[in-house]
Amino acid sequence: MAGIAMTPCGNFRESYRADTTIFPTRLSRAFAAGSIAALCLVPLTGDRYILSLMIQAGYLGIAALGLNILVGFTGQISIGHAAFFGVGAFSSAWLVEHGVPVAVAILLAGLMTTAVGMVFGLPAARLKGLYLAIATLAAQFIIEDFFARARWFTGGVAGRVTEPFSLFGVRFDSNETYFYVVLFYVVVMFLSASNLMRTRDGRALVAVRDHYLSAEMMGINLTYYRTPSFGLSSFYAGIGGALYAHYLLFVSVEAFTILFSIQFLAMIIIGGLGSVIGSMMSAVFMTLLPEVVQSFANMLAGSVMTVRSASALR
């Protein structure tokens, strides 16, 4: 028996580092690299409609991931995510109008949204359950009212026009070019979130979600982790909102309603609470769902019209 080589009968992790790695096998790493390479070839197809849907799914996926960090990983509910998405959109448009390059404005818009999120996160850090939901709902309506009144910032009911993304004098003002901008931010933001969950702070966020009393007994400061989770969630929402603004080139105060916040909640529930990749998959689903329903409705309408035409000929 001593000369017989023993081989493992399963996929065992022998260290914590191996257990928390993002791509545990060569196949997973090759699949990730191949997927990104395949996405880079999508603009070569020339289908602007498909590109438009993928761009929408990209910036919505980034914002949904931010909400998933707050709700799925930390266990904090938020019904005002669309308002923070709007803060990022208006902040980036406002900064660009004041001479800040678009690439820099997107990052600054994320930081400005983080500051706003921290303002609401500080008092909400000691709340939970229904009380926290009411507090974030209040944040939604407070920020909506601010959008309507701050004409210097949002343009009021007229909205605000902004400029397309540009870098080193190159303008990314078409679906084919802007797709690469959104893809870059999606890769960076999703890898950053995956890495965060592997760190000590990421594990502490999950501990706060699973059982906050046990986490506190283990020495985890609940306020310390709950408050930054609001800021981090807002940062992702701000980046997504800024990408949204520089894609549509116009931001309206009517876009960031409570219904939009509920849509973000639906995204993370459909994709799975606490799932990084699920946030993107659900954003794709929610983007394609209206298109599929519309196509189905048009197909049914065509069938009904055909039947009516045949009846009229009789």
Side-chain angles (χ1 to χ4, degrees):
M1 295 294 294
I4 299 176
M6 303 298 292
T7 58
C9 58
N11 184 17
F12 297 103
R13 311 292 173 83
E14 297 180 354
S15 66
Y16 189 81
R17 180 177 181 181
D19 186 58
T20 58
T21 184
I22 300 177
F23 304 111
T25 64
R26 291 184 179 179
L27 180 61
S28 63
R29 291 191 292 270
F31 179 78
S35 299
I36 295 175
L39 288 173
C40 290
L41 299 177
V42 172
L44 301 181
T45 63
D47 193 326
R48 295 177 58 85
Y49 174 70
I50 297 298
L51 286 175
S52 176
L53 293 178
M54 296 184 72
I55 290 171
Q56 293 177 51
Y59 58 68
L60 290 176
I62 292 174
L65 177 58
L67 184 60
N68 213 345
I69 291 174
L70 180 64
V71 180
F73 287 102
T74 315
Q76 300 286 93
I77 187 67
S78 175
I79 315 180
H81 202 63
F84 299 111
F85 187 84
V87 171
F90 281 118
S91 297
S92 188
W94 181 78
L95 288 169
V96 170
E97 183 179 336
H98 287 75
V100 179
V102 177
V104 179
I106 292 176
L107 177 59
L108 293 179
L111 295 176
M112 291 172 67
T113 311
T114 301
V116 176
M118 294 289 284
V119 169
F120 289 98
L122 284 171
R126 297 184 178 276
L127 302 175
K128 62 180 184 296
L130 179 61
Y131 302 102
L132 180 59
I134 294 173
T136 55
L137 182 62
Q140 169 73 36
F141 289 114
I142 290 171
I143 295 175
E144 275 191 60
D145 187 64
F146 171 78
F147 288 162
R149 297 175 183 273
R151 295 176 57 89
W152 58 271
F153 183 66
T154 64
V157 295
R160 181 177 288 278
V161 178
T162 187
E163 299 179 6
F165 187 92
S166 60
L167 187 65
F168 303 120
V170 179
R171 290 167 61 91
F172 297 79
D173 54 359
S174 66
N175 285 358
E176 292 79 6
T177 55
Y178 198 71
F179 173 83
Y180 291 111
V181 175
V182 175
L183 179 61
F184 169 79
Y185 279 96
V186 165
V187 172
V188 171
M189 300 299 281
F190 273 76
L191 284 179
S192 299
S194 299
N195 277 315
L196 171 65
M197 294 307 127
R198 300 165 59 215
T199 64
R200 179 182 183 275
D201 292 330
R203 300 194 299 273
L205 293 178
V206 176
V208 171
R209 176 202 66 189
D210 289 342
H211 203 293
Y212 68 95
L213 289 178
S214 299
E216 192 171 24
M217 292 176 62
M218 293 171 60
I220 297 176
N221 189 322
L222 300 183
T223 304
Y224 174 80
Y225 283 102
R226 283 175 174 171
T227 304
S229 68
F230 268 92
L232 184 60
S233 173
S234 301
F235 178 77
Y236 273 73
I239 295 295
L243 292 172
Y244 159 86
H246 295 293
Y247 177 59
L248 296 184
L249 305 182
F250 176 76
V251 190
S252 172
V253 295
E254 289 85 6
F256 313 106
T257 62
I258 183 65
L259 294 178
F260 198 13
S261 291
I262 294 174
Q263 181 180 343
F264 277 122
L265 277 174
M267 287 184 191
I268 63 172
I269 292 172
I270 293 172
L273 294 176
S275 172
V276 174
I277 192 62
S279 301
M280 175 53 67
M281 300 304 294
S282 61
V284 172
F285 174 80
M286 294 294 287
T287 302
L288 294 179
L289 181 61
E291 307 299 325
V292 173
V293 172
Q294 184 63 51
S295 300
F296 184 67
N298 292 340
M299 182 181 64
L300 290 180
S303 300
V304 171
M305 292 300 294
T306 302
V307 172
R308 288 181 178 177
S309 300
S311 301
L313 291 175
R314 291 176 186 174

